[in-house]
Amino acid sequence: MLKIVLVATIAALVAEASPMPRLQLPQLDGRIVGGVDTTIESYPHQVSVMYFDRHICGGSIIAHNLILTAAHCTRGKDAQFLNIRYGTSLRNQGGTVVAIAEIHDHPNYDPVTTDFDISVLKLSSDIDLSHTAQIIPMISVNAQEGGRTALVTGWGALYTDGPSPKQLQVVELKEEDRKACNKAYEGEITERMICFMNPGQDACQGDSGGPLISNGVQIGVVSWGYDCADPLYPGVFADLANVQIRDHIDGIVEMK
């Protein structure tokens, strides 16, 4: 019976992590399109969030024992089957693996609208900081938006229904006007979301839960979008300047 349960669980994991193009529905499985190879030394805040020891989402180091990712990556999952891999440029290989002690999805996360799409993972032990593992600073509350260029990193599939790379990828995106993005998505963009895109180079969902970085600080978390590399639909990210991330983190730190 246990064997049957494990097989069923792994099958569900594979189905969840695979790209699933759905017309006019948010894609939450994440992929980087049009990116280039990079290394963890260039983006040492990047981590892989793993479920049953297989990569499912990206994340970032925000404290010695805290990882920031997307709530849609962790919702409904048991912490005992989650861990993170850090300090490596390779998917499912190398670096150091640390178990997840606690999952803290944002209390206002809405799986229907994907609003407040952030989750903080508390690790069972501290990360050993080095040139391949560093804490990324976060954007200040109410920071000015508009006209920014940003970078997304991850190990998501290279194109729709395509293979996932072994090597860490990076893509450069430009901020889309909030009103224009909201119009494209027919009013689905909330104040806790920002939009980025670039012709032929699209994070789409980047690698779900992965960091959006501008001027050396994390400004967003890869969240959702329609299609992939579609010029009509920018990638949508959780906006860390407006998502009450610091209050959420402070509440976790203060927990006994």
Side-chain angles (χ1 to χ4, degrees):
M1 177 61 72
L2 177 59
K3 184 175 181 180
I4 294 174
V5 171
L6 286 175
V7 170
T9 302
I10 293 172
L13 168 60
V14 171
E16 178 179 1
S18 300
M20 297 174 59
R22 293 172 289 176
L23 184 60
Q24 296 303 301
L25 285 175
Q27 294 175 294
L28 302 175
D29 48 302
R31 50 186 172 266
I32 286 181
V33 176
V36 296
D37 288 354
T38 190
T39 64
I40 198 66
E41 287 82 1
S42 297
Y43 303 94
H45 53 270
Q46 175 78 43
V47 305
S48 168
V49 177
M50 301 189 296
Y51 191 48
F52 284 95
D53 297 321
R54 302 298 295 177
H55 172 86
I56 59 166
C57 284
S60 56
I61 303 170
I62 60 171
H64 285 82
N65 66 339
L66 297 178
I67 300 297
L68 178 62
T69 188
H72 75 257
C73 291
T74 56
R75 180 177 173 83
K77 293 182 173 62
D78 192 323
Q80 68 175 317
F81 301 124
L82 281 168
N83 48 39
I84 65 111
R85 186 188 298 272
Y86 73 88
T88 178
S89 304
L90 303 178
R91 185 173 185 264
N92 294 328
Q93 185 177 335
T96 302
V97 176
V98 180
I100 303 299
E102 301 170 6
I103 300 172
H104 297 275
D105 295 343
H106 196 286
N108 294 329
Y109 171 63
D110 187 333
V112 176
T113 64
T114 328
D115 204 5
F116 290 94
D117 190 18
I118 61 167
S119 181
V120 174
L121 308 178
K122 190 171 184 179
L123 304 179
S124 60
S125 60
D126 287 356
I127 287 175
D128 185 13
L129 299 180
S130 69
H131 68 291
T132 60
Q134 289 290 321
I135 295 169
I136 182 74
M138 286 180 292
I139 192 171
S140 60
V141 177
N142 299 321
Q144 186 175 359
E145 65 178 65
R148 293 172 292 185
T149 298
L151 299 170
V152 180
T153 46
W155 290 275
L158 299 172
Y159 53 86
T160 303
D161 295 327
S164 296
K166 275 289 184 184
Q167 187 72 26
L168 184 64
Q169 300 286 297
V170 61
V171 68
E172 183 178 85
L173 303 174
K174 296 180 180 179
E175 189 167 12
E176 180 72 3
D177 177 76
R178 179 181 290 274
K179 290 182 179 179
C181 185
N182 196 39
K183 182 177 180 181
Y185 282 105
E186 299 181 347
E188 296 183 38
I189 305 302
T190 73
E191 293 181 0
R192 276 73 55 185
M193 302 175 188
I194 46 177
C195 304
F196 281 74
M197 66 186 303
N198 210 5
Q201 294 181 318
D202 189 6
C204 197
Q205 296 78 49
D207 196 6
S208 288
L212 179 72
I213 306 297
S214 182
N215 293 323
V217 300
Q218 184 167 353
I219 65 173
V221 172
V222 180
S223 185
W224 66 283
Y226 291 162
D227 298 325
C228 196
D230 189 323
L232 297 178
Y233 298 112
V236 183
F237 301 78
D239 183 3
L240 295 185
N242 293 315
V243 81
Q244 301 167 8
I245 179 63
R246 293 185 185 278
D247 289 345
H248 186 46
I249 293 172
D250 288 344
I252 296 168
V253 172
E254 291 171 2
M255 292 177 65
K256 300 295 184 181

